Amino acid sequence: MICILLVAGHGTVLQTQIKNDDTGLYNHLAGVPKALLPGIGGKKILDFWWEAVNMRQLFTEVYLVTNADKYKHYERWATANDFPVENVINDGSTTLEDRLGAVADLELVIRSRKLQDDIMVIAGDMLCADQNFDIAQVIRFFRSKPGELMIYYELEEGEKSSSRGIVEVCPETNKISRFLEKPAEGLTTSRLASVVFYCLQKDTLSYLSDFLCLQPQDTNRTFGQFWEWLINEKKQDVFGMKLPTGFQLIGQVGLSDYTKWLTHYSTKQQDNPAKPITCRSYARVGLMGNPSDGFNGKTIAMTISNFWAEVTLTESQTLVLVPHPLNDPTEFGSLQDLFCISRKEGYLGGLRLLQATCKKFYQFCSKQGIALTKQNFTLKYDTNIPRQVGLAGSSAIVSATLKCLMKFYNITDDDLPKPIRANFILNVETDELFITAGLQDRVVQVYEGLVYMDFSKKLMDDQGYGNYVCMNMKELPPFWLAYLSDPSDSGRIHSNIRQRWLAGEPLVVDAMKTFADLTDQARNALERKDWSGLAQLMDQNFELRRTVYTDGCLGPGNLKMVELARQFGSAVKLPGSGGAVVGLCLDQHKLMEMRQAFQEAGCVFCHLAVQSLREAVNLTLIT
């Protein structure tokens, strides 16, 4: 592949204002070409681009196209920066009036050097907010698509779409459906701005000369008009890749715009690196419908602030995943200590969850056409979610890790919408780590709070995810949770339900439909604040689960906790896969007695902290 840097602009507006500036602050910039102006950190704008593309493993050659007026400046720059002087090409223009136009400059290089290879084109006078993005990732994405590639970014607040080339991109295919050069207000709702950063296939280069034949005037030989013609008229396949950063083409801007954007981007660079990012995700309890989330059913679940997983990301020189001292032990007091810990907790801690999430995140962004920066980081995690009691501890770690990565790389909800995010978290666990899981936990941990979920087959087939509704959490009744202090095997549920469901066994199929019906009734009860009705529905949910799984499959520990709760007249059901029970007791006196009974039975008992959850969510610790 060959890279061509375009720096042939004359910048007459900017230079005129520099010369006429009365402050004297910019006298040293008089006569300096746009691409050689100071960029972020004092580095010349062109220096950044040369460092980004100066890689022999990616490009066989790099060319620089300038004009006759500024040629000597770039020749001197090339000598000082180990750029091959013979690859600096002079287009012969000396004024704005006799310029060739950007497309003609590109065609000049291709024609004069007889280039027959894929081309990357970059405007060398672009300010870039982030100095670390990965050119190699751009090339890999380009080669994965059957067409040209155009880089775009999301306009920042205050930037007008009428000042930029705007693209409309299909989110499923990344194909650009329409290109609008500086559109008038109302022509498009897109805020995705194209920049002079393209990849062209060698077989498409002939379109450049075809376009130039149609545009004898240099004022019409802009890339914006070229892409309008190629995409809108010629219907050529062009794909888009998003860089989660900002760009500003110095072009014909004035001094105030140049200094404004330089200050803005420099401030961003100073603000970001030093601050660690800390995010939490919470444990969840299934209040109704489970275990039907994996069987096209409906559920209601709730995150609880009693228990959480917390992940901290700090920028670093290398990428480091820090083992948790308790969950990922590497040192033991003795061989007996190793034996006891391994027997009780197994061999799989949270470190694998961090690693799998990072791997899947990079894979997702590459596939979706999002070029990440080349920044590295250190990840560490902590959690107080009890293990092996069905409170979604693993997915909480994945969810918190994903939040950190999205914040670090400036990935927005538009890039990774919440329904897709829940699917992503599930895929990390099922595809990468072969953990048996369903969507319910991941959905409620992404949305947070009290969530109604409909996983009907039609919804899942049509859109790839269900219908998710956040419900009001104010004035919820006093839910409680109890779990086995040492769950071992007594809290696990062993079953062949999925095989029976896939085989169409009437008992299982009908049960999943009934779970869905109970969920709709529970939603109505919650909305009406009918706590007695909700309690009855919770009991029905457990009894239905009991008919499908049978007592032997439910596990003695689970049944013991259910029977104990019912002795005190409390509604009770399993909130997850086993090892814990969630209940609703409207009699405060009996609730206190029941708590004592559970504790005497060797269980851990707690009141669910749901009233303050919204405050906890608002303090998601993006520090």
Side-chain angles (χ1 to χ4, degrees), residues 7 33 35-36 46 64 66 70-78:
V7 293
L36 299 183
L46 183 58
L64 188 76
T66 184
K70 301 299 183 185
Y71 176 79
K72 197 65 181 177
H73 288 271
Y74 288 109
E75 184 183 52
R76 187 68 54 83
W77 172 86

Side-chain angles (χ1 to χ4, degrees), residues 308-382:
W308 43 260
E310 183 176 282
V311 175
T312 298
L313 183 153
T314 307
E315 188 170 357
S316 56
Q317 289 296 314
T318 58
L319 200 156
V320 181
L321 306 179
V322 180
H324 191 278
L326 296 178
N327 300 325
D328 306 289
T330 55
E331 294 185 19
F332 303 88
S334 65
L335 189 58
Q336 180 184 5
D337 184 31
L338 182 150
F339 167 77
C340 293
I341 291 174
S342 302
R343 181 181 61 178
K344 182 177 180 180
E345 301 184 8
Y347 309 99
L348 304 175
L351 203 62
R352 63 182 182 135
L353 298 169
L354 302 186
Q355 186 171 348
T357 306
C358 291
K359 185 231 178 186
K360 205 75 174 177
F361 179 77
Y362 184 86
Q363 182 180 351
F364 173 86
C365 291
S366 298
K367 185 177 180 181
Q368 291 301 118
I370 302 171
L372 302 176
T373 62
K374 293 171 70 176
Q375 296 161 283
N376 283 323
F377 52 83
T378 294
L379 276 181
K380 63 179 181 179
Y381 78 98
D382 193 12

Side-chain angles (χ1 to χ4, degrees), residues 7-82:
V7 293
H10 290 275
T12 53
V13 175
L14 180 59
Q15 278 301 315
T16 299
Q17 293 185 4
I18 287 174
K19 290 176 183 177
N20 295 335
D21 179 61
D22 294 332
T23 67
L25 296 174
Y26 305 101
N27 289 345
H28 62 292
L29 301 181
V32 177
K34 295 178 299 178
L36 299 183
L37 290 170
I40 296 171
K43 182 190 300 183
K44 293 180 177 66
I45 297 172
L46 183 58
D47 288 347
F48 159 67
W49 290 111
W50 173 226
E51 287 179 14
V53 302
N54 186 18
M55 291 181 283
R56 281 291 174 183
Q57 67 270 31
L58 297 180
F59 301 105
T60 55
E61 292 288 350
V62 179
Y63 292 92
L64 188 76
V65 190
T66 184
N67 53 54
D69 184 42
K70 301 299 183 185
Y71 176 79
K72 197 65 181 177
H73 288 271
Y74 288 109
E75 184 183 52
R76 187 68 54 83
W77 172 86
T79 302
N81 288 274
D82 197 28

